[in-house]
Each structure stands twice: as C-alpha cells, then as structure tokens.
Amino acid sequence: MLQLIADAVNDRTARGIAAAVSRLVHTGELPAGARLPTVRSVAQALGISPTTVSEAWRSLASAGAIQTRGRSGTYVLTPSRPRQKMRFSRLVANPSTLPHDFSTGVPDHDLLPDLAPALRRIGDTRLTTSYLEDPVLPRLEVVLRERWPYPPQQLTVVDGALDALDRVVGAVVRFGAHVVVENPTFPPLLDLLESVGAVPVPVPLDASGVEPAALAEALDHSPIAVFLQPRAQNPTGVSTTPARAADLASVLAGHDSVVVVEDDHVGDIATAPAVSLGAHLPDRVVHVRSFSKSHGPDLRLAAIGGPAALISAIADRRLLGPGWSSRVLQAVLVDLLTDPATTRAVAEARREYARRRDLLLAALARHGVAATAADGINMWIAVRDQQVALLTLAAHGIGAAPGAPFEVRPLGTDHIRVTVGLVRDGFEDLAAILAEAAGSRHRASGHRTRPLHRAAR
C-alpha cells in the first residue's frame, strides 16, 4: 500500500498528496476499512517532511475520507456527512410550528399545471423494452433541443436539478480541486463540493450576473470548473444578461480546461430569456434545465446538455445505478411541454410570480428595506441581524431561511431568504413584519464565521 500511494503522488505538496489519496479511495484501490501507512513511512517514501503528510491527512479527515483512531492507526472511510451538518438542512424553518413557512424555496402548488390530463393522454405506458435503451425518449429529446439555448452535442435526463449537479460534480470535480461559485449561492451545491473535498472560490454578483473582473481574478486559482445560475439566481433572483454572458465567455476563452456548469433551475417560470455561455463556448458548457419549479417537483426531471464525452460518461455511470429516469414521467413531460393549455398555465404562473415579487418589493421599499427579487420565486433581504430577524418572524408565525448557509464568504451584511412565490396576499402586512425583523435594534450577534473553512481567499 505504501508503494501504491507513493506511485500515485505527482505533486508532493499537502494538497497534492491528499488529492492522490482521494483518487485512490474514489477508484477503490484504497478500499473502505483499509489501514493507511504511518505518516512517517509515507514521508520517508516521498522524501518530504512528516508535517506535510500530516497536513494532507488532516484535509482528508476533514472531508470524511479517512479517520485517525489514535494508536490503532488511520483508516479509509466511506465518505458521509451527518444531515444536521449540511447547509441544506439549515435552510428550512420548522413547518410543524409556523403557519406561514416561506423558507422552503418550493413553488406554489396551485400555480402548477394539472398532471391528470397528461397522464390520461399518454395512454400506453409500455415505453421500455430493454435496460440498455437510450436514457431520453426520442420525442422528448426533440422538444428539449428546440428549447435549448444553444445546440448541445448530447442530452440526457436525470432526476431533478440537484441530481444533475451531483452527477456533474462526480464526473468533473476531484479532491482538492478549486471550483468557482457565486457568492451567495445554492447551499446544496456547497454541500456537494464539500463532500468531494473541493475548494470553493467565491465570486460576487451584480444586477447583470457574475462580475467579469471577479471571475478573471478567480481564474488565477486554476479552477477545474465554474458553477453559475443563469436565471433567477438562488437566492438573489439575479439573471445573467446576454451581454454579461458574452463578457464572461470572453474571460473564460483563454482557460480551455475549465468546465462551465449552468443550473437553470427555475426554467419556464423565469421572466428573463434563456441565456447560456454555451452560445459562445459550446464545447465546455454543461447546461442543466429543470422542470420542477414550472411543471411539478414530483416529476423529478431535469435535462443535462453539453459536451458528448461528459454527458456520455454521466449516462453510462447511471446504468450502474438507477439506469434511467422514468420514461412514463418523460412522456408526461413531453405532453406538458407541447400542450397549449399547459403552456398557458405556466405563462400565467410566470406572470403571477412576477406580480407577487413586485408587490412585496414595492411594499418593502416603502419601509426602507433593501431586498432583491428580480426573477424567480425567492427574495434576498438584508437584515441587521440574521438570528434576531428569524426569531422576530417566528414570533409572527412566519418562517424564512437564514442567509448564512448561502454564503461561501461572509457578505458583510446579514440576510434572510423569503420564498415570495408562496406569498399570495397580505403584502403590506408582511412587509411591515419583515421591516420590523430587518431593522431590529437588538444587539447584533457579532461577526459570523460560517463560510466553508477551505474556501479560497
């Protein structure tokens, strides 16, 4: 085993050693339960200081890849994280005790199209004759390609946007790799990156999307990938403009090894047009289109389009797991996407979400509260103190998501996220309560240190 590790290490820094050992764990060459050589023996084999190896071991232990058991030695683990430590689990309030829970980030079910007519229309559901058939129904692929913001080399369908991100992270990102992400961003993405030991490099946004100068600076970290949300960014609601997409593509043009991953999670209820860097960098962009917010979370369907080699690798790996996403549900989605009545229903939902955003934004502005909700179903609200704001809202029976889990690096101002898409009425009353929560005169809780501890600076 010592020789196996020594042969795998090309970069003898702590990061390089950790990455090499992580690859061996990932491929199974170092199986779960295997006892690793001592720090001193690895250091001697590599001709380096034991301190460097100890640092690598600490990184691997932090990522959940190995465990040190005192005098018993150090062992390979099956990586896992307790649910309560995930950022994702810290978002939702306690819906069992709060009558108005706006923390969830889910769409209003009353604005989703009715699935019953589609289920009746698809008729014969004998859609699978072999376990090795293409993962995408031919009719669905035709419709998806017509709606894609650029011509993808290949498409596949998976079980929702988060499943898509998980698949892409598994195929692209390795331990110790730097990955550029928006700040703030979708907490489950940060959980996924942390689970594989990646280092997030945060970049700020303005009203047009990720700032090009910040992206250029982040590229100095030699990242392996850039993760973006081109429409209705969660949590801010910012949508990337076509001009900004062109600017970002220009910044990335000289970095051929960087993969761009776009999460268009809001899809058809977004008011902004579909924009993708794939229009400029088609060989390097993986675009994810979800239908959960627009057509129903329980459809559990999202499409991934991009470079053929990468999409094929994702589809082939799924053969050893779920195999494919339900072709019955794919047939339902085809029907929904081509049915005029459903198209009208989704358009009406898009207008209604915009109305709700506009009404609450206007009411908050009258109270002097800073908030953004340019698109989608979420609103990002600046508050004096996050915990005081959440407690104040809870006292009124209202749940909101804390802002800290969205932050890779503290933003300097506390925030909360409110799923404004679930607010049907009472906008003035809610704005008054949110203003009370945002401007509380209680003593602030002090400087927060909640970013990922390995975030690149």
Side-chain angles (χ1 to χ4, degrees):
M1 184 179 294
L2 179 59
Q3 192 60 48
L4 174 67
I5 293 173
D7 290 344
V9 175
N10 296 319
D11 175 1
R12 300 191 179 192
T13 63
R15 176 185 169 192
I17 296 167
V21 173
S22 176
R23 286 193 296 270
L24 293 173
V25 172
H26 181 79
T27 60
E29 294 173 85
L30 286 178
R35 182 175 179 175
L36 294 176
T38 65
V39 168
R40 186 170 298 279
S41 64
V42 174
Q44 289 176 345
L46 296 176
I48 59 176
S49 166
T51 303
T52 303
V53 180
S54 294
E55 184 180 345
W57 261 222
R58 283 195 297 272
S59 296
L60 288 163
S62 177
I66 65 173
Q67 181 184 54
T68 299
R69 302 174 186 171
R71 292 183 179 180
S72 297
T74 301
Y75 294 82
V76 175
L77 293 177
T78 300
S80 63
R81 294 182 68 205
R83 180 186 178 101
Q84 65 270 22
K85 290 188 177 181
M86 293 183 182
R87 289 168 177 257
F88 202 178
S89 67
R90 290 154 48 198
L91 293 183
V92 181
N94 192 339
S96 63
T97 59
L98 297 177
H100 306 289
D101 186 11
F102 302 137
S103 69
T104 60
V106 300
D108 185 339
H109 283 272
D110 288 345
L111 296 180
L112 295 171
D114 185 2
L115 301 186
L119 288 168
R120 288 193 295 267
R121 285 192 295 264
I122 64 173
D124 189 349
T125 58
R126 294 174 293 179
L127 300 170
T128 299
T129 59
S130 168
Y131 290 115
L132 297 177
E133 287 183 3
D134 289 338
V136 187
L137 283 182
R139 288 179 297 149
L140 179 57
E141 179 160 356
V142 170
V143 174
L144 290 173
R145 287 187 175 276
E146 290 173 349
R147 302 161 66 91
W148 219 250
Y150 66 97
Q153 293 179 7
Q154 189 167 329
L155 287 168
T156 195
V157 171
V158 297
D159 299 336
L162 191 51
D163 183 39
L165 292 176
D166 185 21
R167 302 282 174 182
V168 174
V169 167
V172 174
V173 182
R174 292 292 178 265
F175 188 95
H178 283 77
V179 177
V180 177
V181 298
E182 301 154 332
N183 192 36
T185 194
F186 187 43
L189 171 61
L190 299 177
D191 287 331
L192 284 173
L193 295 175
E194 183 164 354
S195 73
V196 298
V199 181
V201 182
V203 290
L205 304 98
D206 59 24
S208 299
V210 164
E211 297 177 4
L215 176 60
E217 182 178 348
L219 291 174
D220 290 339
H221 291 277
S222 300
I224 197 169
V226 175
F227 282 78
L228 304 173
Q229 299 174 70
R231 291 198 289 185
Q233 197 264 356
N234 188 357
T236 66
V238 167
S239 292
T240 303
T241 65
R244 177 59 56 84
D247 291 341
L248 296 177
S250 178
V251 171
L252 287 160
H255 299 265
D256 294 341
S257 63
V258 179
V259 176
V260 180
V261 183
E262 298 175 333
D263 176 17
D264 188 3
H265 60 99
V266 171
D268 290 353
I269 60 169
T271 56
V275 170
S276 172
L277 273 66
H280 309 278
L281 305 170
D283 296 335
R284 295 163 47 198
V285 174
V286 179
H287 189 81
V288 176
R289 173 69 65 86
S290 173
F291 300 94
S292 294
K293 299 291 193 298
S294 56
H295 293 80
D298 284 328
L299 282 175
R300 307 310 303 141
L301 291 177
I304 311 175
L310 180 54
I311 304 303
S312 292
I314 291 172
D316 291 348
R317 178 62 185 85
R318 290 191 87 217
L319 288 175
L320 302 177
W324 64 89
S325 296
S326 167
R327 293 190 176 94
V328 173
L329 293 180
Q330 290 188 49
V332 170
L333 181 58
V334 172
D335 184 277
L336 294 173
L337 294 177
T338 56
D339 173 50
T342 300
T343 300
R344 290 192 294 271
V346 172
E348 176 56 34
R350 182 166 56 247
R351 288 190 290 270
E352 175 60 15
Y353 285 131
R355 184 186 75 87
R356 296 176 184 184
R357 293 193 308 269
D358 291 345
L359 286 173
L360 188 54
L361 279 173
L364 287 172
R366 287 191 286 274
H367 286 275
V369 176
T372 61
D375 208 343
I377 63 174
N378 294 307
M379 181 173 290
W380 188 236
I381 302 175
V383 298
R384 182 171 298 178
D385 181 273
Q386 170 190 278
Q387 296 306 318
V388 171
L390 293 175
L391 289 171
T392 302
L393 292 175
H396 290 276
I398 297 170
F406 295 86
E407 301 175 16
V408 184
R409 181 184 298 162
L411 297 173
T413 302
D414 279 14
H415 291 81
I416 59 173
R417 189 198 69 177
V418 171
T419 303
V420 65
L422 297 176
V423 182
R424 301 180 179 182
D425 50 33
F427 296 96
E428 288 294 339
D429 291 342
L430 177 58
I433 296 171
L434 287 170
E436 177 190 349
S440 173
R441 295 184 181 279
H442 288 77
R443 183 173 60 86
S445 58
H447 181 68
R448 289 181 290 111
T449 55
R450 291 189 176 91
L452 296 179
H453 60 275
R454 289 189 306 278
R457 299 291 178 179

